[in-house]
Amino acid sequence: MDSSISDALLHAMHTLSPEFVAIRQDIHAHPELAFEERRTSDLVAERLAAWGYQVHRGLGGTGVVGTLRKGSGSRSLGIRADMDALPIQEATGLDYASRHAGKMHACGHDGHTAVLLCAARYLAESADFNGTLHLIFQPAEENEGGALRMVDEGLFTLFPCDEVYALHNSPGLPVGQMTISAGPLMASFDRATVTLRGRGAHGAMPHHGVDPMQCAASITLGLQSIVSREIDALKSAVITVGSIQAGEAYNVVPETAQLKIGVRTLDSKVRTLVEQRIREFIAAQAQSYQLQAEVIYERKYPVLVNHAAQTETARQAAIRLLGAENVLERPPTMGSEDFAYMLEHRPGAYIRLGNGTGEDGGCMVHNPKYDFNDQALPIGAAFWTHLVQSYLS
Protein backbone atom coordinates (compact mmCIF):
# COMPACT_ATOMS: atom_id res chain seq x y z
CA MET A 1 0.00 0.00 0.00
CA ASP A 2 1.76 3.13 -1.16
CA SER A 3 1.39 6.47 0.60
CA SER A 4 -1.09 7.82 -1.95
CA ILE A 5 -3.45 4.89 -1.30
CA SER A 6 -3.15 5.17 2.49
CA ASP A 7 -3.70 8.93 2.27
CA ALA A 8 -6.78 8.36 0.11
CA LEU A 9 -8.20 5.85 2.58
CA LEU A 10 -7.60 8.11 5.57
CA HIS A 11 -9.17 10.99 3.64
CA ALA A 12 -12.22 8.85 2.85
CA MET A 13 -12.66 7.96 6.51
CA HIS A 14 -12.31 11.57 7.61
CA THR A 15 -15.01 12.44 5.08
CA LEU A 16 -17.31 9.74 6.45
CA SER A 17 -16.51 10.35 10.10
CA PRO A 18 -18.97 13.17 10.98
CA GLU A 19 -21.89 10.76 10.57
CA PHE A 20 -20.23 8.26 12.88
CA VAL A 21 -19.10 10.82 15.40
CA ALA A 22 -22.79 11.70 15.72
CA ILE A 23 -23.64 8.00 16.16
CA ARG A 24 -20.87 7.63 18.74
CA GLN A 25 -22.12 10.58 20.75
CA ASP A 26 -25.69 9.30 20.54
CA ILE A 27 -24.57 5.93 21.93
CA HIS A 28 -22.59 7.77 24.60
CA ALA A 29 -25.71 9.65 25.70
CA HIS A 30 -27.65 6.39 26.02
CA PRO A 31 -25.32 3.95 27.79
CA GLU A 32 -26.49 0.41 28.50
CA LEU A 33 -24.92 -2.04 30.93
CA ALA A 34 -23.93 -5.65 30.26
CA PHE A 35 -26.61 -7.70 28.47
CA GLU A 36 -28.91 -4.65 28.40
CA GLU A 37 -27.60 -3.21 25.11
CA ARG A 38 -30.96 -3.33 23.32
CA ARG A 39 -31.02 0.23 21.97
CA THR A 40 -27.39 -0.01 20.86
CA SER A 41 -27.87 -3.38 19.17
CA ASP A 42 -31.00 -2.06 17.41
CA LEU A 43 -28.96 0.84 16.04
CA VAL A 44 -26.14 -1.44 14.91
CA ALA A 45 -28.47 -3.98 13.29
CA GLU A 46 -30.44 -1.30 11.42
CA ARG A 47 -27.30 0.31 9.99
CA LEU A 48 -25.74 -2.99 8.93
CA ALA A 49 -28.92 -4.16 7.22
CA ALA A 50 -29.24 -0.85 5.36
CA TRP A 51 -25.72 -1.33 3.96
CA GLY A 52 -26.41 -4.85 2.73
CA TYR A 53 -25.05 -7.01 5.53
CA GLN A 54 -26.78 -10.22 6.55
CA VAL A 55 -27.68 -9.52 10.18
CA HIS A 56 -27.95 -12.14 12.92
CA ARG A 57 -29.15 -11.14 16.36
CA GLY A 58 -29.41 -12.82 19.73
CA LEU A 59 -26.02 -14.42 20.33
CA GLY A 60 -25.07 -13.47 23.87
CA GLY A 61 -28.56 -12.05 24.30
CA THR A 62 -27.98 -8.66 22.71
CA GLY A 63 -25.12 -9.48 20.36
CA VAL A 64 -25.19 -8.62 16.65
CA VAL A 65 -23.20 -10.23 13.84
CA GLY A 66 -23.15 -8.66 10.37
CA THR A 67 -21.90 -10.79 7.47
CA LEU A 68 -20.79 -9.45 4.10
CA ARG A 69 -19.59 -11.67 1.25
CA LYS A 70 -17.87 -10.41 -1.87
CA GLY A 71 -16.37 -12.47 -4.65
CA SER A 72 -15.80 -16.21 -4.42
CA GLY A 73 -12.87 -16.30 -2.00
CA SER A 74 -12.88 -18.96 0.71
CA ARG A 75 -11.16 -16.93 3.42
CA SER A 76 -13.16 -15.44 6.28
CA LEU A 77 -12.29 -12.72 8.78
CA GLY A 78 -13.89 -11.68 12.07
CA ILE A 79 -13.65 -8.24 13.71
CA ARG A 80 -15.10 -7.58 17.15
CA ALA A 81 -16.35 -4.39 18.81
CA ASP A 82 -17.81 -4.22 22.33
CA MET A 83 -20.99 -2.27 23.13
CA ASP A 84 -21.58 -2.15 26.90
CA ALA A 85 -21.15 0.71 29.37
CA LEU A 86 -20.11 0.84 33.03
CA PRO A 87 -22.00 1.53 36.28
CA ILE A 88 -20.32 4.94 36.79
CA GLN A 89 -21.86 8.38 37.27
CA GLU A 90 -20.56 10.57 34.46
CA ALA A 91 -18.83 13.85 35.37
CA THR A 92 -17.71 15.18 31.97
CA GLY A 93 -20.31 17.94 31.58
CA LEU A 94 -20.46 17.20 27.84
CA ASP A 95 -23.50 18.13 25.75
CA TYR A 96 -23.89 14.44 24.96
CA ALA A 97 -23.17 13.17 28.49
CA SER A 98 -25.07 10.14 29.77
CA ARG A 99 -28.78 10.68 30.23
CA HIS A 100 -29.01 7.71 32.59
CA ALA A 101 -27.90 8.16 36.18
CA GLY A 102 -25.18 5.77 37.29
CA LYS A 103 -24.41 4.54 33.76
CA MET A 104 -21.61 5.79 31.54
CA HIS A 105 -19.46 4.87 28.55
CA ALA A 106 -16.28 5.23 30.59
CA CYS A 107 -14.20 2.76 28.57
CA GLY A 108 -14.82 3.87 25.00
CA HIS A 109 -17.02 1.01 23.81
CA ASP A 110 -19.23 3.65 22.18
CA GLY A 111 -16.16 4.61 20.15
CA HIS A 112 -15.25 1.02 19.29
CA THR A 113 -18.78 0.43 18.00
CA ALA A 114 -18.78 3.61 15.91
CA VAL A 115 -15.29 2.88 14.51
CA LEU A 116 -16.42 -0.54 13.26
CA LEU A 117 -19.67 0.86 11.88
CA CYS A 118 -17.73 3.48 9.93
CA ALA A 119 -15.50 0.78 8.44
CA ALA A 120 -18.56 -1.39 7.79
CA ARG A 121 -20.20 1.25 5.62
CA TYR A 122 -17.09 1.91 3.58
CA LEU A 123 -16.43 -1.81 3.12
CA ALA A 124 -19.98 -2.39 1.91
CA GLU A 125 -20.21 0.59 -0.43
CA SER A 126 -16.70 1.39 -1.64
CA ALA A 127 -14.24 -1.44 -1.00
CA ASP A 128 -13.27 -4.49 -3.02
CA PHE A 129 -12.36 -7.76 -1.34
CA ASN A 130 -12.71 -11.46 -2.04
CA GLY A 131 -14.10 -13.50 0.82
CA THR A 132 -16.36 -13.31 3.86
CA LEU A 133 -16.36 -10.66 6.55
CA HIS A 134 -18.05 -11.15 9.94
CA LEU A 135 -18.46 -8.05 12.10
CA ILE A 136 -19.08 -9.07 15.72
CA PHE A 137 -20.76 -6.54 18.00
CA GLN A 138 -20.42 -8.04 21.45
CA PRO A 139 -22.33 -7.33 24.65
CA ALA A 140 -21.03 -7.46 28.20
CA GLU A 141 -17.27 -7.11 27.93
CA GLU A 142 -17.07 -5.45 31.35
CA ASN A 143 -16.68 -8.35 33.81
CA GLU A 144 -19.64 -10.36 32.52
CA GLY A 145 -17.99 -12.46 29.81
CA GLY A 146 -20.14 -11.63 26.81
CA ALA A 147 -17.46 -13.02 24.49
CA LEU A 148 -17.57 -16.41 26.21
CA ARG A 149 -21.35 -16.49 25.98
CA MET A 150 -21.25 -15.73 22.26
CA VAL A 151 -18.64 -18.45 21.71
CA ASP A 152 -20.61 -20.96 23.79
CA GLU A 153 -23.74 -20.17 21.79
CA GLY A 154 -22.00 -21.06 18.54
CA LEU A 155 -20.35 -17.87 17.27
CA PHE A 156 -17.56 -19.57 15.34
CA THR A 157 -19.77 -22.46 14.22
CA LEU A 158 -22.39 -20.17 12.76
CA PHE A 159 -19.83 -17.64 11.51
CA PRO A 160 -16.56 -19.43 10.71
CA CYS A 161 -13.58 -17.09 11.01
CA ASP A 162 -10.09 -18.03 9.95
CA GLU A 163 -8.79 -15.16 12.09
CA VAL A 164 -10.35 -12.66 14.51
CA TYR A 165 -9.26 -9.19 15.61
CA ALA A 166 -10.30 -6.46 18.05
CA LEU A 167 -9.02 -3.06 19.12
CA HIS A 168 -9.26 -0.83 22.20
CA ASN A 169 -8.58 2.85 22.59
CA SER A 170 -5.51 3.79 24.61
CA PRO A 171 -5.44 7.05 26.60
CA GLY A 172 -1.91 8.45 26.80
CA LEU A 173 -1.03 7.21 23.31
CA PRO A 174 -1.17 10.01 20.72
CA VAL A 175 -3.93 9.95 18.13
CA GLY A 176 -2.46 8.51 14.94
CA GLN A 177 -0.41 5.87 16.72
CA MET A 178 -1.14 2.20 17.46
CA THR A 179 0.52 -0.46 19.58
CA ILE A 180 0.66 -4.10 18.53
CA SER A 181 2.56 -6.82 20.43
CA ALA A 182 2.66 -10.61 20.24
CA GLY A 183 2.31 -13.00 23.17
CA PRO A 184 0.62 -12.47 26.56
CA LEU A 185 -0.80 -8.96 26.45
CA MET A 186 -3.44 -8.74 29.18
CA ALA A 187 -3.86 -10.63 32.43
CA SER A 188 -6.27 -13.30 33.48
CA PHE A 189 -8.86 -12.20 36.00
CA ASP A 190 -10.21 -14.43 38.76
CA ARG A 191 -12.09 -13.63 41.93
CA ALA A 192 -12.51 -15.26 45.30
CA THR A 193 -15.33 -14.62 47.75
CA VAL A 194 -14.27 -15.68 51.24
CA THR A 195 -16.70 -16.04 54.14
CA LEU A 196 -15.22 -16.42 57.63
CA ARG A 197 -17.63 -17.73 60.28
CA GLY A 198 -16.95 -17.29 63.97
CA ARG A 199 -19.14 -16.56 66.99
CA GLY A 200 -20.55 -13.16 67.84
CA ALA A 201 -20.07 -11.56 71.23
CA HIS A 202 -20.31 -8.31 73.16
CA GLY A 203 -17.38 -6.05 72.32
CA ALA A 204 -16.57 -5.71 76.02
CA MET A 205 -16.25 -9.49 76.38
CA PRO A 206 -14.59 -10.74 73.19
CA HIS A 207 -13.41 -13.91 74.91
CA HIS A 208 -16.97 -15.19 74.66
CA GLY A 209 -16.81 -15.03 70.88
CA VAL A 210 -14.62 -16.08 67.97
CA ASP A 211 -13.69 -12.92 66.09
CA PRO A 212 -13.44 -13.17 62.27
CA MET A 213 -12.08 -9.63 61.94
CA GLN A 214 -8.55 -10.40 63.10
CA CYS A 215 -8.40 -13.31 60.70
CA ALA A 216 -9.67 -11.08 57.87
CA ALA A 217 -6.92 -8.57 58.63
CA SER A 218 -4.27 -11.30 58.78
CA ILE A 219 -5.43 -12.74 55.45
CA THR A 220 -5.39 -9.31 53.83
CA LEU A 221 -1.77 -8.73 54.79
CA GLY A 222 -0.54 -12.28 54.44
CA LEU A 223 -1.84 -12.91 50.92
CA GLN A 224 0.78 -10.52 49.57
CA SER A 225 3.52 -12.95 50.61
CA ILE A 226 2.27 -15.31 47.89
CA VAL A 227 3.24 -12.73 45.26
CA SER A 228 6.44 -11.53 46.91
CA ARG A 229 7.83 -14.89 48.02
CA GLU A 230 6.22 -17.69 45.97
CA ILE A 231 5.99 -16.28 42.44
CA ASP A 232 9.02 -15.99 40.16
CA ALA A 233 10.08 -12.34 40.26
CA LEU A 234 10.25 -12.37 36.45
CA LYS A 235 6.58 -13.31 36.23
CA SER A 236 3.57 -11.24 37.23
CA ALA A 237 0.72 -11.66 39.69
CA VAL A 238 -1.54 -9.25 41.52
CA ILE A 239 -3.76 -10.13 44.49
CA THR A 240 -6.16 -7.40 45.57
CA VAL A 241 -8.45 -7.56 48.59
CA GLY A 242 -11.04 -5.11 47.32
CA SER A 243 -13.69 -5.46 50.00
CA ILE A 244 -14.05 -6.54 53.64
CA GLN A 245 -17.59 -6.55 54.99
CA ALA A 246 -18.31 -7.39 58.61
CA GLY A 247 -20.39 -6.04 61.45
CA GLU A 248 -22.27 -2.76 61.92
CA ALA A 249 -21.71 -1.70 65.53
CA TYR A 250 -18.80 -0.40 67.62
CA ASN A 251 -19.35 -2.81 70.49
CA VAL A 252 -20.17 -6.09 68.77
CA VAL A 253 -17.84 -8.87 67.69
CA PRO A 254 -19.40 -9.88 64.35
CA GLU A 255 -20.46 -13.40 63.54
CA THR A 256 -19.05 -13.37 60.01
CA ALA A 257 -16.69 -11.44 57.75
CA GLN A 258 -16.58 -11.54 53.96
CA LEU A 259 -13.60 -10.71 51.77
CA LYS A 260 -13.72 -10.13 48.03
CA ILE A 261 -10.40 -10.83 46.34
CA GLY A 262 -9.30 -10.13 42.75
CA VAL A 263 -6.46 -12.11 41.19
CA ARG A 264 -4.55 -11.32 37.98
CA THR A 265 -1.72 -13.21 36.28
CA LEU A 266 -0.02 -13.35 32.87
CA ASP A 267 0.77 -17.08 32.86
CA SER A 268 -1.55 -20.08 33.11
CA LYS A 269 0.77 -22.00 35.45
CA VAL A 270 1.10 -19.00 37.75
CA ARG A 271 -2.69 -18.66 37.66
CA THR A 272 -3.13 -22.23 38.88
CA LEU A 273 -0.44 -21.87 41.56
CA VAL A 274 -1.96 -18.65 42.94
CA GLU A 275 -5.41 -20.22 43.21
CA GLN A 276 -4.00 -23.24 45.05
CA ARG A 277 -2.01 -21.12 47.47
CA ILE A 278 -4.89 -18.73 48.20
CA ARG A 279 -7.11 -21.67 49.10
CA GLU A 280 -4.42 -23.25 51.30
CA PHE A 281 -3.46 -19.99 52.98
CA ILE A 282 -7.04 -19.04 53.87
CA ALA A 283 -7.78 -22.52 55.21
CA ALA A 284 -4.68 -22.41 57.41
CA GLN A 285 -5.42 -18.90 58.66
CA ALA A 286 -9.00 -19.80 59.50
CA GLN A 287 -7.90 -22.85 61.43
CA SER A 288 -5.36 -20.85 63.40
CA TYR A 289 -8.10 -18.40 64.46
CA GLN A 290 -10.60 -21.22 65.17
CA LEU A 291 -12.91 -20.13 62.37
CA GLN A 292 -14.71 -21.84 59.51
CA ALA A 293 -13.87 -20.57 56.04
CA GLU A 294 -15.76 -20.92 52.79
CA VAL A 295 -13.94 -19.98 49.58
CA ILE A 296 -15.86 -19.53 46.33
CA TYR A 297 -13.20 -19.18 43.64
CA GLU A 298 -14.31 -18.14 40.15
CA ARG A 299 -12.08 -18.26 37.12
CA LYS A 300 -13.20 -15.35 34.98
CA TYR A 301 -11.22 -14.05 32.00
CA PRO A 302 -8.19 -16.00 30.74
CA VAL A 303 -4.86 -14.45 29.77
CA LEU A 304 -5.21 -12.60 26.46
CA VAL A 305 -2.50 -13.96 24.15
CA ASN A 306 -1.89 -12.41 20.74
CA HIS A 307 -0.91 -14.99 18.13
CA ALA A 308 2.43 -14.25 16.47
CA ALA A 309 1.45 -14.50 12.79
CA GLN A 310 -1.76 -12.52 13.22
CA THR A 311 0.02 -9.86 15.27
CA GLU A 312 2.44 -9.43 12.40
CA THR A 313 -0.44 -9.22 9.92
CA ALA A 314 -1.98 -6.41 11.97
CA ARG A 315 1.38 -4.70 12.45
CA GLN A 316 2.13 -4.62 8.74
CA ALA A 317 -1.35 -3.28 7.97
CA ALA A 318 -0.87 -0.51 10.52
CA ILE A 319 2.62 0.32 9.20
CA ARG A 320 1.35 0.61 5.64
CA LEU A 321 -1.42 2.92 6.86
CA LEU A 322 0.37 5.06 9.46
CA GLY A 323 4.12 4.56 8.94
CA ALA A 324 6.51 2.45 11.01
CA GLU A 325 7.26 5.33 13.38
CA ASN A 326 3.61 5.30 14.52
CA VAL A 327 3.30 1.57 15.17
CA LEU A 328 4.83 0.68 18.53
CA GLU A 329 5.39 -2.27 20.83
CA ARG A 330 3.60 -2.26 24.19
CA PRO A 331 4.47 -4.29 27.31
CA PRO A 332 1.75 -6.46 28.85
CA THR A 333 -0.70 -4.91 31.30
CA MET A 334 -2.50 -6.41 34.26
CA GLY A 335 -5.91 -5.29 33.04
CA SER A 336 -8.18 -7.96 31.58
CA GLU A 337 -10.28 -8.31 28.42
CA ASP A 338 -12.76 -11.01 27.48
CA PHE A 339 -11.68 -10.99 23.83
CA ALA A 340 -9.23 -13.50 25.30
CA TYR A 341 -11.99 -16.12 24.99
CA MET A 342 -12.22 -15.57 21.24
CA LEU A 343 -8.44 -15.82 20.92
CA GLU A 344 -8.60 -19.20 22.66
CA HIS A 345 -10.79 -20.45 19.81
CA ARG A 346 -9.36 -18.63 16.79
CA PRO A 347 -5.97 -17.11 15.96
CA GLY A 348 -5.93 -13.35 16.02
CA ALA A 349 -4.68 -10.19 17.69
CA TYR A 350 -5.78 -7.33 19.93
CA ILE A 351 -4.62 -3.84 18.97
CA ARG A 352 -4.39 -0.53 20.85
CA LEU A 353 -5.53 2.69 19.15
CA GLY A 354 -4.19 6.03 20.35
CA ASN A 355 -6.86 8.08 22.14
CA GLY A 356 -4.71 11.15 22.79
CA THR A 357 -2.64 12.74 25.53
CA GLY A 358 -3.17 15.35 28.23
CA GLU A 359 -6.59 16.99 28.19
CA ASP A 360 -7.20 15.79 24.66
CA GLY A 361 -8.02 12.13 25.19
CA GLY A 362 -5.55 11.34 27.96
CA CYS A 363 -8.02 10.69 30.78
CA MET A 364 -7.76 7.05 31.84
CA VAL A 365 -10.66 4.67 31.21
CA HIS A 366 -13.09 3.77 34.02
CA ASN A 367 -12.91 7.38 35.15
CA PRO A 368 -16.07 9.55 35.42
CA LYS A 369 -14.36 12.23 33.28
CA TYR A 370 -13.23 9.91 30.48
CA ASP A 371 -14.43 10.33 26.88
CA PHE A 372 -13.52 8.59 23.65
CA ASN A 373 -11.58 10.94 21.37
CA ASP A 374 -13.52 11.33 18.11
CA GLN A 375 -10.30 12.29 16.30
CA ALA A 376 -9.30 8.62 16.61
CA LEU A 377 -12.46 7.34 14.92
CA PRO A 378 -11.42 7.71 11.25
CA ILE A 379 -7.98 6.25 12.00
CA GLY A 380 -9.46 3.14 13.58
CA ALA A 381 -11.96 2.79 10.73
CA ALA A 382 -9.20 3.13 8.14
CA PHE A 383 -7.18 0.45 9.92
CA TRP A 384 -10.09 -2.02 9.90
CA THR A 385 -10.79 -1.27 6.25
CA HIS A 386 -7.19 -1.78 5.21
CA LEU A 387 -6.86 -4.97 7.25
CA VAL A 388 -9.97 -6.44 5.59
CA GLN A 389 -8.85 -5.47 2.10
CA SER A 390 -5.35 -6.85 2.72
CA TYR A 391 -6.49 -10.12 4.27
CA LEU A 392 -9.36 -10.78 1.87
CA SER A 393 -7.45 -9.73 -1.24
Side-chain angles (χ1 to χ4, degrees), residues 1 9 317 320-321 381-391:
M1 190 178 194
L9 181 55
R320 289 191 295 269
L321 184 70
F383 171 75
W384 283 144
T385 300
H386 178 48
L387 182 69
V388 171
Q389 290 180 296
S390 299
Y391 186 79

Side-chain angles (χ1 to χ4, degrees), residues 155-166:
L155 174 64
F156 293 124
T157 301
L158 294 168
F159 309 100
C161 298
D162 297 323
E163 299 181 2
V164 64
Y165 295 83

Side-chain angles (χ1 to χ4, degrees), residues 15 19 63 73 190 216 269 274 291 311 377:
T15 301
E19 173 186 350
D190 301 328
K269 292 181 179 179
V274 170
L291 297 162
T311 300
L377 193 155

Side-chain angles (χ1 to χ4, degrees), residues 263-275:
V263 181
R264 298 175 186 270
T265 68
L266 283 168
D267 179 275
S268 60
K269 292 181 179 179
V270 172
R271 187 185 193 189
T272 298
L273 173 61
V274 170
E275 176 183 353

Side-chain angles (χ1 to χ4, degrees), residues 239-319:
I239 301 175
T240 301
V241 180
S243 172
I244 301 176
Q245 300 176 13
E248 296 181 358
Y250 295 97
N251 61 343
V252 176
V253 173
E255 189 90 8
T256 63
Q258 185 184 78
L259 297 85
K260 295 181 179 180
I261 304 168
V263 181
R264 298 175 186 270
T265 68
L266 283 168
D267 179 275
S268 60
K269 292 181 179 179
V270 172
R271 187 185 193 189
T272 298
L273 173 61
V274 170
E275 176 183 353
Q276 175 189 335
R277 290 297 297 126
I278 285 176
R279 289 181 180 278
E280 292 171 348
F281 182 81
I282 289 172
Q285 288 286 296
Q287 183 179 28
S288 71
Y289 283 92
Q290 303 180 68
L291 297 162
Q292 294 180 331
E294 176 188 57
V295 179
I296 299 174
Y297 202 99
E298 301 170 275
R299 287 201 166 200
K300 303 296 286 183
Y301 295 178
V303 179
L304 186 149
V305 181
N306 273 353
H307 298 251
Q310 288 67 37
T311 300
E312 191 58 26
T313 295
R315 187 196 320 280
Q316 291 306 318
I319 288 172

Side-chain angles (χ1 to χ4, degrees), residues 71-392:
S72 58
S74 61
R75 301 183 86 183
S76 59
L77 180 66
I79 300 176
R80 187 217 73 169
D82 36 19
M83 301 187 294
D84 57 320
L86 283 156
I88 293 174
Q89 181 63 41
E90 184 162 354
T92 62
L94 294 165
D95 292 341
Y96 53 87
S98 172
R99 298 180 186 177
H100 305 299
K103 299 179 183 180
M104 177 192 173
H105 271 292
C107 201
H109 297 184
D110 52 340
H112 305 161
T113 297
V115 163
L116 190 52
L117 284 175
C118 184
R121 178 170 179 180
Y122 184 89
L123 287 162
E125 297 178 350
S126 305
D128 290 325
F129 62 85
N130 186 30
T132 301
L133 173 64
H134 299 298
L135 304 183
I136 304 162
F137 292 85
Q138 178 207 309
E141 188 280 324
E142 297 288 356
N143 297 321
E144 299 301 330
L148 177 61
R149 183 168 165 184
M150 291 188 84
V151 170
D152 285 346
E153 293 179 8
L155 174 64
F156 293 124
T157 301
L158 294 168
F159 309 100
C161 298
D162 297 323
E163 299 181 2
V164 64
Y165 295 83
L167 64 71
H168 200 290
N169 73 94
S170 186
L173 183 69
V175 171
Q177 292 189 353
M178 305 181 82
T179 65
I180 306 172
S181 303
L185 189 68
M186 299 186 74
S188 62
F189 173 59
D190 301 328
R191 62 191 188 191
T193 303
V194 179
T195 302
L196 303 173
R197 292 188 173 87
R199 185 170 64 248
H202 193 294
M205 295 171 281
H207 59 288
H208 289 308
V210 178
D211 188 356
M213 288 296 289
Q214 292 200 13
C215 184
S218 180
I219 288 172
T220 300
L221 294 174
L223 282 175
Q224 302 310 316
S225 66
I226 296 175
V227 175
S228 65
R229 286 296 176 265
E230 299 188 43
I231 304 302
D232 185 338
L234 298 179
K235 298 185 182 294
S236 299
V238 174
I239 301 175
T240 301
V241 180
S243 172
I244 301 176
Q245 300 176 13
E248 296 181 358
Y250 295 97
N251 61 343
V252 176
V253 173
E255 189 90 8
T256 63
Q258 185 184 78
L259 297 85
K260 295 181 179 180
I261 304 168
V263 181
R264 298 175 186 270
T265 68
L266 283 168
D267 179 275
S268 60
K269 292 181 179 179
V270 172
R271 187 185 193 189
T272 298
L273 173 61
V274 170
E275 176 183 353
Q276 175 189 335
R277 290 297 297 126
I278 285 176
R279 289 181 180 278
E280 292 171 348
F281 182 81
I282 289 172
Q285 288 286 296
Q287 183 179 28
S288 71
Y289 283 92
Q290 303 180 68
L291 297 162
Q292 294 180 331
E294 176 188 57
V295 179
I296 299 174
Y297 202 99
E298 301 170 275
R299 287 201 166 200
K300 303 296 286 183
Y301 295 178
V303 179
L304 186 149
V305 181
N306 273 353
H307 298 251
Q310 288 67 37
T311 300
E312 191 58 26
T313 295
R315 187 196 320 280
Q316 291 306 318
I319 288 172
R320 289 191 295 269
L321 184 70
L322 301 174
E325 70 278 8
N326 290 314
V327 183
L328 312 174
E329 292 276 342
R330 176 180 175 134
T333 68
M334 299 308 289
S336 302
E337 159 65 70
D338 79 341
F339 184 63
Y341 289 119
M342 295 190 185
L343 290 178
E344 286 189 326
H345 289 81
R346 291 294 184 275
Y350 186 77
I351 300 105
R352 292 283 188 174
L353 174 70
N355 198 61
T357 59
E359 295 182 1
D360 190 16
C363 179
M364 187 50 59
V365 297
H366 292 223
N367 184 299
K369 293 188 176 181
Y370 166 86
D371 188 34
F372 179 83
N373 190 340
D374 289 321
Q375 296 178 54
L377 193 155
I379 297 167
F383 171 75
W384 283 144
T385 300
H386 178 48
L387 182 69
V388 171
Q389 290 180 296
S390 299
Y391 186 79
L392 299 177

